[in-house]
Amino acid sequence: MNTLTSFSAVAAPERARIVVLATGGTIAGSAATPTETSAYQAGALGIDTLLTAVPALDEVARIEAQQVASLDSKDMSPAFWTILAQRVNELLADDAIDGVVITHGTDTLEETAYLLHLTVKSRKPVVLTAAMRPASALSADGPLNLLNAVTLAANPAAVGQGVLVALNNQIHSAREAAKTSTYAVDAFQSPEFGILGWVQDGRVEFGRSVVRAHTTATEFVIGAAWPHVEIVTSYAGVSRALVDGLVAAGVRGIVVAGTGNGSIHASLQQALVDALKQGVAVVRSSRVGSGHVMRNGAALDDALGFVSAGSLNPYKARVLLMLALAAGGTGPVMLQRVFDQY
Ligand code: ASP
């Protein structure tokens, strides 16, 4: 066999087959003029328009697009999470599909991403992307973010990394990504831990992986039941009225966005102790935005029956608490095990 024959016998690698699920957001936003970047309608454009704006996508992957919703993600709901997670799981169970990209608004992306990170039952790549400027804007960031997200989802290095977030050339883990700016295109950070890697000009490089259990290694399956869990914040002069109102409304869990290391104002703390006696789960997180909440750092948990959220921000802690309660989790020992594991 000569060299030419053996070369021609090797089939060119097939482009990955990626499904893009569109949910709306600023990446699909449209404003009256190109200079308007704050007053616009999120989710105004369909996924076909977004894909047509990026012809280079064709070279990266064979793409199939589905418009799942046209939401401003400020209006995201657990009911929609059920639909989305089920759709992702169905798609990834198909051997012909290599990965999923989800276009999403930035406002609640960190919550949806973490929910999927805990409930997708596949090692195939799932990448969320978004934009800070509407598609109609000068220097819109959506088209390149979309190209990079598909590039990442099509890359074998993204397999088994859990759900990923790709914006501004950076790769974040869904567990850690958080929106940290109201306007900047580098709005997303992974406080404390940093990015997993980067994607640029068709190249993908990972510098680290997440070590906490995710996707196929979790005990959570997506269901239709979402226990009522809310977040309350501790601050100067906070009253107990919100907690008392939530208990009266039948809340199952409360995440406290505490001050500093998850410390809680005395009046709020007493309300939470009373809530706990009514069977409400109480998880301490921090409103600070980075760092972690040490269990018993404020001598609260063993004494009062609270759970520490560790390094999860309040919004991600709420997602985990909802899943844990839905899976039948009860009591501070079991719930602390869940927060230590994920
Ligand atoms: N409100 C928009 C959304 O979350 C913001 C964005 O996408 O940047 O859908």
Side-chain angles (χ1 to χ4, degrees):
M1 189 189 287
N2 66 33
T3 316
L4 186 62
T5 312
S6 69
F7 176 73
S8 58
V10 177
E14 271 239 85
R15 285 166 305 149
R17 187 162 159 219
I18 303 297
V19 179
V20 179
L21 298 179
T23 71
T26 294
I27 192 167
S30 182
T33 67
T35 51
E36 183 57 77
T37 61
S38 61
Y40 57 86
Q41 190 191 337
L45 305 175
I47 186 59
D48 291 344
T49 306
L50 305 190
L51 293 172
T52 306
V54 191
L57 281 167
D58 238 13
E59 291 154 34
V60 177
R62 291 171 293 152
I63 292 175
E64 180 191 312
Q66 297 180 13
Q67 190 79 45
V68 189
S70 296
L71 282 169
D72 184 324
S73 81
K74 72 180 179 59
D75 297 322
M76 185 53 60
S77 66
F80 182 72
W81 283 342
T82 299
I83 294 167
L84 186 62
Q86 283 172 344
R87 181 76 59 92
V88 172
N89 278 319
E90 280 160 22
L91 288 168
L92 294 182
D94 181 343
D95 288 344
I97 292 171
D98 298 303
V100 167
V101 166
I102 301 169
T103 58
H104 197 287
T106 59
D107 287 347
T108 55
L109 185 147
E110 66 203 72
E111 298 168 53
T112 302
Y114 189 46
L115 177 276
L116 294 171
H117 190 66
L118 296 170
T119 57
V120 165
K121 295 299 165 203
S122 173
R123 289 173 48 79
K124 293 178 187 175
V126 177
V127 182
L128 279 83
T129 194
M132 289 297 288
R133 296 179 182 146
S136 53
L138 281 177
S139 300
D141 50 331
L144 189 55
N145 283 346
L146 181 57
L147 179 64
N148 284 338
V150 173
T151 301
L152 177 59
N155 194 296
V159 173
Q161 301 276 8
V163 173
L164 301 170
V165 175
L167 278 106
N168 206 37
N169 293 106
Q170 297 180 321
I171 305 168
H172 300 263
S173 168
R175 185 183 186 276
E176 286 134 21
K179 185 174 180 178
T180 61
S181 170
T182 57
Y183 71 95
V185 291
D186 61 344
F188 279 78
Q189 291 182 27
S190 290
E192 276 313 281
F193 297 99
I195 61 172
L196 297 184
W198 51 261
V199 48
Q200 184 180 9
D201 301 348
R203 284 195 56 195
V204 169
E205 186 169 322
F206 278 85
R208 70 177 184 91
S209 304
V210 275
V211 296
R212 298 270 186 143
H214 57 73
T215 54
T216 53
T218 79
E219 64 213 82
F220 306 116
V221 286
I222 197 73
W226 288 97
H228 185 191
V229 175
E230 301 280 356
I231 300 170
V232 298
T233 305
S234 189
Y235 46 84
V238 63
S239 82
R240 57 175 295 151
L242 274 178
V243 170
D244 290 342
L246 290 172
V247 173
V251 77
R252 297 266 321 276
I254 296 176
V255 174
V256 194
T259 39
N261 181 27
S263 54
I264 306 168
H265 189 290
S267 58
L268 190 60
Q269 185 172 309
Q270 188 54 55
L272 291 165
V273 169
D274 295 343
L276 207 97
K277 288 183 191 141
Q278 306 291 317
V280 177
V282 177
V283 174
R284 292 189 306 123
S285 64
S286 176
R287 67 181 205 179
V288 166
S290 69
H292 53 253
V293 170
M294 284 292 288
R295 182 168 171 85
N296 281 327
L300 294 174
D301 305 316
D302 285 350
L304 302 179
F306 294 169
V307 171
S308 159
S311 55
L312 289 179
N313 73 25
Y315 318 106
K316 292 177 194 282
R318 174 175 175 263
V319 169
L320 181 55
L321 183 55
M322 282 197 287
L323 287 173
L325 293 174
T330 77
V333 173
M334 189 277 185
L335 292 174
Q336 188 64 65
R337 192 271 300 161
V338 165
F339 275 83
D340 290 345
Q341 192 169 346
Y342 303 106

